[in-house]
Amino acid sequence: MIEFNKKSKLRKFNPAPYLMILPVLVLLCIFAFYPICLSVIKSFYRWSGTFDSNYGINQFIGMKNYVDLFKDKVFLQSWLNTLFFVVSGAIINLIFPFLCALIVFSLKSEKLSYRWRVAFVVPMVVPSMVVFLLWQFIYDVDVGVINNLLQGIGLQKVDLLGNPSAVKWAIRFMGFPWVGGTFLLVYIAGLSGIDNSLREAARIDGASTLRTVFFIDVPLSAPQFKMVLTLSIIGEIQDFVKIQTVTEGGPGYSSYVPGLYMYQTAFASNEYGKACAIGVTMLIVMLVCSTLIGKLFKTEAAD
């Protein structure tokens, strides 16, 4: 029989932890939640970015921004381009960093494994803009490395960034060898969390290295695949700086993406209401994709 201590008292409410996180919550509401709510509201307005109707436009127009967007061929083309980047980026991020993580994780020497991890993480400190400009230089028709190599072996120069059928592939290749430090560390952490006795049991039963990877490492890395796939899709939908730097959406609209369209609509055309509608559309697509991924990789918690 369990006896309860009658002298025990309920623990008094301690406000200190809540007061400590209060500044973070306030800043989060101001710089994260408020802009999202404002964008949703202003997406129903013809808005020039000011709250004073005497100095700008702040007129409620209902769903007109959304109707105009889905009648806009440029907007629809931008989503087709984004679909290419999302699919190709998801495939790359699910395969190449995982294969590299398997190689690094399987190294016998802990020191050597650590050095390889550091080697893959070090490029993360290089500003992205430097990488984009470097690739733009590599693709340059006159002085680029690729065209100099082609000319050296007797072939004609190619304008990869100026060819509508090749520009998206050229932009995708800019990530070569497609082993991001963040995703690599995520996969290595997942592989390290797998009980090594499972691999040893598989080897005792005669399973090859390939079968061990496919039947143990891959299934048990499902949470990591889920995380990488979600971050990859969200990143590809949001990303436009790379394209703005290298091609500015061209040639024509062959590399145009919604993020770049939103940026130019707001800051070049001064149509902030329409830009908010583009941002809300992107938000909805990201939420839908995240929900579908969550259902695809739904796993039951261990008892």
Side-chain angles (χ1 to χ4, degrees), residues 236-253:
E236 293 293 346
I237 293 175
Q238 290 180 334
D239 185 29
F240 72 92
V241 177
K242 173 171 55 181
I243 295 173
Q244 182 186 24
T245 303
V246 178
T247 67
E248 295 184 355
Y253 297 104

Side-chain angles (χ1 to χ4, degrees), residues 41-82:
I41 294 172
K42 291 302 180 181
S43 67
F44 300 103
Y45 282 73
R46 184 167 172 259
W47 186 40
S48 61
T50 178
F51 293 96
D52 190 348
S53 57
N54 295 325
Y55 297 95
I57 301 172
N58 189 19
Q59 178 185 3
F60 180 79
I61 57 175
M63 297 293 294
K64 189 176 186 303
N65 285 327
Y66 294 96
V67 173
D68 291 343
L69 279 179
F70 285 96
K71 290 181 179 179
D72 189 345
K73 293 181 179 180
V74 175
F75 180 70
L76 299 178
Q77 178 63 40
S78 70
W79 275 108
L80 289 177
N81 296 334
T82 298

Side-chain angles (χ1 to χ4, degrees), residues 89-143:
I91 293 173
I92 286 171
N93 290 326
L94 288 175
I95 295 176
F96 288 92
F98 183 71
L99 292 177
C100 187
L102 286 172
I103 295 172
V104 174
F105 180 75
S106 63
L107 293 175
K108 301 295 183 181
S109 172
E110 183 64 30
K111 290 184 179 180
L112 185 60
S113 176
Y114 174 77
R115 289 171 183 171
W116 275 109
R117 291 199 300 270
V118 172
F120 281 111
V121 171
V122 164
M124 294 175 62
V125 303
V126 180
S128 300
M129 190 61 65
V130 175
V131 178
F132 301 155
L133 293 175
L134 177 62
W135 276 99
Q136 187 182 40
F137 176 77
I138 291 173
Y139 286 137
D140 189 270
V141 179
D142 298 319
V143 296

